Amino acid sequence: MTFTDFIFFAFSALLLASAMGVITARNPVHSALFLVLSFFSCSALWLLLEAEFLAIALVLVYVGAVMVLFLFIVMMLDINLVQMREGFVRYLPVGVFFALCLVGIMIWVVGDFSAGVFEVPTLQQAVQHGADYSNTKALGRVIYTDYVLPFEIAAVILLVAIIAAIILTMRRREMTKYQTPSKQVMVKRNDRLRIVKMEATVEESE
Amino acid sequence: MTLDALNYIVALPEIFLLSMTCVVLVVDVSLRDAQRNASYVLAQLSLLGTFLLLLSGMTDARIYAFNDMFVQDGMADLLKLFVVAIVAVVFVYSRDYLKGRSIFKGEYYLLGLFATLGMMLMISSASLLMLYLGLELLSLCLYAMVALHRDNGNASEAAMKYFVLGAIASGMLLYGMSILYGLSGSLMLVDIAHAVTQTGSTDIGMVFALVFVLVALMFKLGAVPFHMWVPDVYQGSPTAVTVFLSTAPKLAGFAIIMRLLVEALGGLHTDWQQMLVILAVLSMAIGNIVAIAQANIKRMLAYSTISHVGFIILGILAASAEGYASAMFYTIAYALMSLGGFGIIMLLARSGFEADQLDDFKGLNQRSPWFAFMMLILMFSMAGVPPTLGFWAKLAVLKSIIHIDMVWLAGVAVFFSIIGVFYYLRIIKLMYFDKQQDNTPLQCSTDMQFVLSGNALLILALGLYPTSLMVLCVSVFT
């Protein structure tokens, strides 16, 4: 085992463990933090593949921006953990049973991994580049040429996501009370104040 | 690399549609609620332009564009024409319905147009990447459209179910695709097909990937046992959205099955044939039997969809040019029938009344003999009674199955279709032989009445002269 192999296995193990942590952690904040860890270990794996631009983008965008925002939201939400876990124990045996069945079938089909089912000539180790190789340059060269259509469509998908998020959250509620400044400054004394003339009464003292 | 090397002219209809959708987006933002009709008209004009561009660009040759990521062939042309036309009709049907429920917003049309773009890209995809992006574009639009009626609990529930299950299916598809990529070393469908023929059908790794891909595709199409979402989503979403997601996306679903199973993994057809036999029989059985127990007509039509999907799968599993043509014929026929069926439900619906119970159809003949007759045609066609389009579609599929010596399977299909006839005829019985409970006159715009009548009469006309459509479908696969 070379040193790179060791790094690969170490970060893979970390990735798997933190991914498990995301779904098993009791506290949603811990889940989000585990997700940060899994993103981080994933970016380390990408660095091993010499995809340094993607690795840095993952850390900057996901760890730095998206997850921080996510943490804010999770902390602001009032999540009822007891309610969320309702029925967990009831469905656990069924879920575990089917998951085991699925894994069993997969192992049965693929069989002995040493038989090399997935070992085909194309599945080689990633190409090693020299020190002057720039991943950013390589990406930039193909993204607007060879992959221009997928790139544009990915942009369209993001646009759809924005539109969908806006229509699902922005609406005028009937019950909401809001102020209209233009109407407020137009208000006259007579609209608000009513002078009532009435006879003076004297309370009878006991 | 020059711009011409992209050969982008081939994708002109898609480029036009995308640009027009952006125009609709910008225009719609500046409109007041009373002027919302402008978005509708613009959306229809974009679809019309796309349709004309598609017509003018039709070709028999197979042309690649965007570095072999995008492909145009006979199947793509025909399916795209139907997708665009069907979406336009859906927009006509849904206008009154949306207005009656205060969800007449530009976003419905925007998402509809984006979904159309996604379907066109799915139909024309020549690489796993484009296929997945097209599918996600379509699905994202559909999730949002289902949830469009925000204050309706059922719609939100349906959207949530659809979203979660759809995400799982997308995950399955990606997993299968990643294995395919690992084994073949390419995202291009042509290269994958090449790799499959080299390793042969004995390669267990390829079959392993096939299972995941197949599960995802069948989920998106709604075949048993991946059908759980269909009835809930059809019932929960506003009918204007149900009609959208039960028609055009089925054509796109057929296209990606053809691209993935036949074009890329055609070498494994002995493997997927066996899997599809099980799915087809289960879909026809569950779909037809459970539909009988439904009191909600949207739910009933959802189960009927499942049974129709079973028939479409039957055509595909024949794995012959005849089978593919018959499956395509069936898909188009189904889309037209479903369009009309949900159209009638929207015709009966009015503000504050959904008309989604079977009882709402009681005595329709006394209220409107003409539309009762239209519904009669549609129901006969769904049941497969001659001389309607549905009969020829079923016949074509059964013929292709018999030609590969699976007579028993054809027998099973006929058996379940006969069970299915019951619940279609029940609606006809309700319309013609029961007393009406609801005396409100039908209220809907003239254009919808015209288009809906045209839709039903088209099914009758195509049933009388099925050759025209059949020849088109057959010519695509020869």
Side-chain angles (χ1 to χ4, degrees):
Chain A
M1 189 193 274
T2 61
F3 183 61
T4 19
D5 280 349
F6 170 73
I7 294 178
F8 172 78
F9 284 116
F11 277 107
S12 303
L14 192 61
L15 176 61
L16 288 178
S18 55
M20 279 301 286
V22 176
I23 53 171
T24 50
R26 279 184 165 274
N27 190 329
V29 177
H30 294 172
S31 286
L33 287 172
F34 270 122
L35 199 55
V36 171
L37 183 60
S38 66
F39 281 145
F40 186 78
S41 33
C42 193
S43 81
L45 289 180
W46 286 359
L47 267 183
L48 277 182
L49 289 170
E50 300 184 355
E52 70 271 0
F53 178 78
L54 292 178
I56 292 169
L58 187 70
V59 172
L60 283 183
V61 177
Y62 274 89
V63 179
V66 175
M67 284 317 293
V68 172
L69 209 64
F70 208 82
L71 268 177
F72 272 132
I73 297 166
V74 167
M75 283 178 185
M76 274 190 237
L77 288 178
D78 180 27
I79 300 171
N80 188 348
L81 285 178
V82 181
Q83 202 183 5
M84 268 176 64
R85 284 178 201 286
E86 241 171 52
F88 181 75
V89 180
R90 208 173 111 213
Y91 297 119
L92 186 68
V94 187
V96 167
F97 173 74
F98 279 107
L100 284 180
C101 274
L102 216 61
V103 172
I105 292 171
M106 279 189 210
I107 291 174
W108 178 56
V109 168
V110 177
D112 191 5
F113 277 91
S114 58
V117 168
F118 291 112
E119 270 175 36
V120 281
T122 46
L123 208 67
Q124 293 153 347
Q125 204 165 12
V127 189
Q128 303 279 325
H129 296 280
D132 57 339
Y133 170 76
S134 163
N135 173 242
T136 320
K137 210 177 191 175
L139 266 179
R141 194 164 280 155
V142 291
I143 204 157
Y144 295 112
T145 53
D146 292 352
Y147 290 89
V148 65
L149 184 63
F151 182 72
E152 293 293 334
I153 300 308
V156 174
I157 291 178
L158 289 179
L159 180 62
V160 168
I162 295 171
I163 297 171
I166 290 174
I167 53 162
L168 292 186
T169 50
M170 212 175 84
R171 57 170 175 171
R172 188 158 290 197
R173 286 194 182 83
E174 298 294 319
M175 303 292 290
T176 327
K177 295 187 169 69
Y178 43 90
Q179 299 172 320
T180 325
S182 60
K183 280 188 182 164
Q184 284 178 316
V185 295
M186 294 283 285
V187 81
K188 297 269 172 13
R189 189 195 63 183
N190 294 343
D191 298 340
R192 299 281 161 86
L193 192 71
R194 191 161 58 97
I195 298 172
V196 185
K197 289 236 160 88
M198 55 191 293
E199 298 273 315
T201 52
V202 180
E203 232 169 84
E204 285 175 27
S205 53
E206 286 171 20
Chain B
M1 180 188 221
T2 60
L3 196 57
D4 289 334
L6 289 177
N7 202 8
Y8 62 91
I9 284 299
V10 178
L12 194 61
E14 280 82 359
I15 296 173
F16 174 78
L17 183 62
L18 177 58
S19 326
M20 280 304 288
T21 312
C22 293
V23 171
V24 177
L25 174 64
V26 174
V27 170
D28 183 70
V29 171
S30 59
L31 289 179
R32 283 197 300 277
D33 272 347
Q35 302 167 315
R36 212 49 82 187
N37 268 328
S39 319
Y40 166 74
V41 173
L42 259 181
Q44 289 289 31
L45 284 179
S46 340
L47 289 174
L48 181 70
T50 315
F51 191 82
L52 293 178
L53 282 174
L54 280 170
L55 260 188
S56 65
M58 271 179 92
T59 167
D60 289 333
R62 201 179 161 85
I63 309 173
Y64 286 94
F66 289 106
N67 297 305
D68 302 347
M69 294 223 173
F70 184 94
V71 63
Q72 185 195 17
D73 54 10
M75 181 182 89
D77 281 333
L78 191 61
L79 284 176
K80 279 189 213 171
L81 282 174
F82 272 101
V83 162
V84 172
I86 285 173
V87 171
V89 176
V90 167
F91 283 178
V92 173
Y93 287 175
S94 50
R95 193 159 60 123
D96 285 342
Y97 183 91
L98 294 173
K99 277 182 181 166
R101 275 150 199 80
S102 68
I103 41 174
F104 186 58
K105 299 179 196 162
E107 285 86 357
Y108 175 81
Y109 298 109
L110 272 178
L111 291 172
L113 290 177
F114 276 125
T116 312
L117 180 69
M119 288 186 264
M120 290 169 76
L121 289 167
M122 277 160 82
I123 291 170
S124 268
S125 56
S127 106
L128 292 181
L129 194 59
M130 281 318 296
L131 207 142
Y132 181 72
L133 286 174
L135 183 64
E136 279 306 285
L137 182 55
L138 169 68
S139 310
L140 269 180
C141 293
L142 292 183
Y143 303 145
M145 283 169 92
V146 170
L148 201 62
H149 204 182
R150 279 226 35 188
D151 301 322
N152 184 329
N154 279 343
S156 305
E157 186 197 328
M160 201 62 211
K161 268 185 192 158
Y162 193 24
F163 179 67
V164 171
L165 292 174
I168 293 175
S170 293
M172 288 273 185
L173 187 63
L174 275 184
Y175 193 46
M177 282 178 171
S178 70
I179 300 175
L180 280 183
Y181 176 61
L183 290 174
S184 64
S186 170
L187 288 171
M188 297 294 163
L189 298 183
V190 182
D191 296 342
I192 294 171
H194 190 64
V196 170
T197 38
Q198 270 190 339
T199 54
S201 61
T202 48
D203 187 47
I204 200 80
M206 282 287 184
V207 182
F208 191 66
L210 167 72
V211 173
F212 283 98
V213 170
L214 196 79
V215 166
L217 293 180
M218 288 305 136
F219 176 88
K220 296 283 177 192
L221 215 57
V224 178
F226 314 108
H227 67 290
M228 302 302 187
W229 60 277
V230 182
D232 289 339
V233 172
Y234 276 36
Q235 184 192 3
S237 41
T239 316
V241 177
T242 315
V243 65
F244 191 98
L245 63 97
S246 73
T247 49
K250 295 285 183 257
L251 294 177
F254 169 77
I256 55 168
I257 289 183
M258 289 302 295
R259 298 271 181 231
L260 263 176
L261 288 194
V262 178
E263 278 180 25
L265 301 172
L268 299 173
H269 69 89
T270 42
D271 294 291
W272 52 253
Q273 213 167 19
Q274 297 163 5
M275 303 176 200
L276 288 183
V277 167
I278 300 169
L279 292 167
V281 171
L282 279 178
S283 300
M284 288 185 295
I286 306 265
N288 278 319
I289 292 169
V290 182
I292 294 173
Q294 306 305 320
N296 181 305
I297 187 164
K298 276 160 86 179
R299 229 178 148 76
M300 191 201 90
L301 285 179
Y303 280 104
S304 126
T305 302
I306 295 169
S307 71
H308 287 298
V309 164
F311 255 95
I312 294 170
I313 298 173
L314 272 190
I316 295 170
L317 73 85
S320 61
E322 189 198 359
Y324 303 145
S326 68
M328 186 161 164
F329 185 78
Y330 200 104
T331 317
I332 293 172
Y334 165 71
L336 292 175
M337 296 186 295
S338 176
L339 188 64
F342 285 107
I344 297 269
I345 299 178
M346 280 198 279
L347 179 87
L348 295 183
R350 53 180 183 271
S351 193
F353 175 67
E354 285 293 329
D356 59 354
Q357 299 299 316
L358 281 180
D359 288 344
D360 298 332
F361 279 78
K362 274 188 181 168
L364 183 62
N365 187 38
Q366 289 142 20
R367 286 170 72 195
S368 166
W370 175 253
F371 284 107
F373 178 61
M374 296 295 118
M375 189 66 176
L376 175 94
I377 296 176
L378 290 165
M379 287 298 118
F380 270 160
S381 181
M382 284 201 183
V385 176
T388 50
L389 184 58
F391 168 73
W392 297 106
K394 283 199 165 58
L395 190 70
V397 167
L398 292 177
K399 247 173 33 190
S400 65
I401 283 294
I402 290 171
H403 284 174
I404 57 157
D405 297 327
M406 288 177 123
V407 183
W408 68 271
L409 195 57
V412 171
V414 170
F415 174 71
F416 286 119
S417 308
I418 292 171
I419 293 179
V421 169
F422 168 76
Y423 59 88
Y424 296 121
L425 289 184
R426 183 170 58 186
I427 292 193
I428 295 173
K429 180 224 159 213
L430 287 174
M431 288 192 306
Y432 281 91
F433 302 108
D434 282 15
K435 262 206 143 52
Q436 61 176 347
Q437 294 178 327
D438 187 357
N439 294 316
T440 332
L442 297 181
Q443 28 179 280
C444 82
S445 55
T446 342
D447 56 343
M448 176 175 176
Q449 293 187 4
F450 268 109
V451 177
L452 190 53
S453 309
N455 184 343
L457 291 177
L458 179 72
I459 286 169
L460 188 62
L462 282 175
L464 292 171
Y465 304 101
T467 348
S468 49
L469 184 57
M470 198 65 212
V471 166
L472 272 180
C473 291
V474 170
S475 69
V476 164
F477 293 105
T478 43

